[in-house]
Amino acid sequence: MKILRHTVSFIFLTTLFISCKPSQQTIVKATEEIPYFTFYTLDQQRFVKDSFDTERIKFIMYFNSECDHCQKQARWLRKGLQENLTSFKDLEMIFISFEEMSMIKEYRDKYQFTQSNITFLQDSRLTFADKFGVGSFPSILIYTKEGKLIKKFEGETKIEEVLPFISN
């Protein structure tokens, strides 16, 4: 009886593992290019894949305003923006969170992310993580002007690590 139970458990777990593998490959493949999505700006305007500026490298940060790591990342980024203005000024910087608009605005204002090349978006349907293949806060994704993935960072990332991937 024990052997039968172990065999059934083994078959079940093997089947489960194999069935999960293609979905992981799909996520990885989907993030090679910016996927189709619909998010909303802080003034409730739709923002979709075609809304991106085709003349700029895209810097996308997925965050949660209450996450300590995201707050630390914001401080590093704020300092990086001040010290390396020329590296960041030509980027299209997108910050995305699933939180309420008021929380996103507080985060923006707290860290003074008010430059004209920065846009904050709300992911009210909680689709960003799946569509972009990220699993942690904060996550930073760098895409070419054409929307091809250059680099993905998950977790706290020092600005010095990001700089080589955002220079023109």
Side-chain angles (χ1 to χ4, degrees):
M1 187 68 175
K2 272 187 172 181
I3 294 174
L4 179 63
R5 191 172 30 183
H6 288 299
T7 303
V8 169
S9 295
F10 175 76
I11 291 170
F12 173 76
L13 291 173
T14 303
T15 304
L16 182 64
F17 176 75
I18 291 170
S19 68
C20 288
K21 229 174 170 141
S23 66
Q24 285 296 332
Q25 291 171 346
T26 302
I27 288 172
V28 169
K29 198 168 197 84
T31 60
E32 290 175 4
E33 288 186 17
I34 295 175
Y36 289 98
F37 63 85
T38 301
F39 301 133
Y40 291 90
T41 63
L42 297 182
D43 58 356
Q44 301 292 327
Q45 299 299 309
R46 284 183 60 200
F47 191 100
V48 297
K49 178 180 179 174
D50 294 336
S51 302
F52 280 109
D53 183 339
T54 58
E55 299 300 315
R56 292 178 169 209
I57 291 174
K58 291 104 182 83
F59 173 102
I60 301 172
M61 185 170 129
Y62 187 49
F63 74 97
N64 180 301
S65 67
E66 295 181 331
C67 161
D68 290 337
H69 302 287
C70 298
Q71 292 174 20
K72 187 175 189 177
Q73 187 70 58
R75 288 190 300 272
W76 287 348
L77 188 54
R78 177 82 229 135
K79 185 177 179 194
L81 283 167
Q82 292 168 343
E83 294 175 356
N84 303 284
L85 185 59
T86 56
S87 296
F88 286 94
K89 73 178 177 69
D90 292 328
L91 295 178
E92 180 174 20
M93 299 181 71
I94 306 292
F95 290 74
I96 302 173
S97 178
F98 62 82
E99 298 173 286
E100 295 294 322
M101 292 286 192
S102 60
M103 300 288 287
I104 297 171
K105 287 176 184 175
E106 283 180 33
Y107 184 85
R108 176 200 62 194
D109 296 344
K110 179 178 181 178
Y111 297 104
Q112 301 169 355
F113 292 133
T114 57
Q115 293 81 349
S116 62
N117 65 327
I118 297 178
T119 303
F120 278 80
L121 302 174
Q122 181 190 43
D123 172 22
S124 59
R125 295 185 188 132
L126 304 172
T127 60
F128 183 88
D130 285 338
K131 287 186 177 276
F132 285 81
V134 297
S136 65
F137 296 113
S139 290
I140 296 173
L141 299 106
I142 312 293
Y143 287 91
T144 64
K145 296 173 184 178
E146 298 79 24
K148 306 282 186 209
L149 183 66
I150 297 172
K151 182 72 175 171
K152 176 169 64 170
F153 300 94
E154 292 195 68
E156 294 176 7
T157 305
K158 296 202 182 257
I159 298 308
E160 296 77 25
E161 295 176 50
V162 174
L163 288 173
F165 299 98
I166 62 172
S167 54
N168 287 327

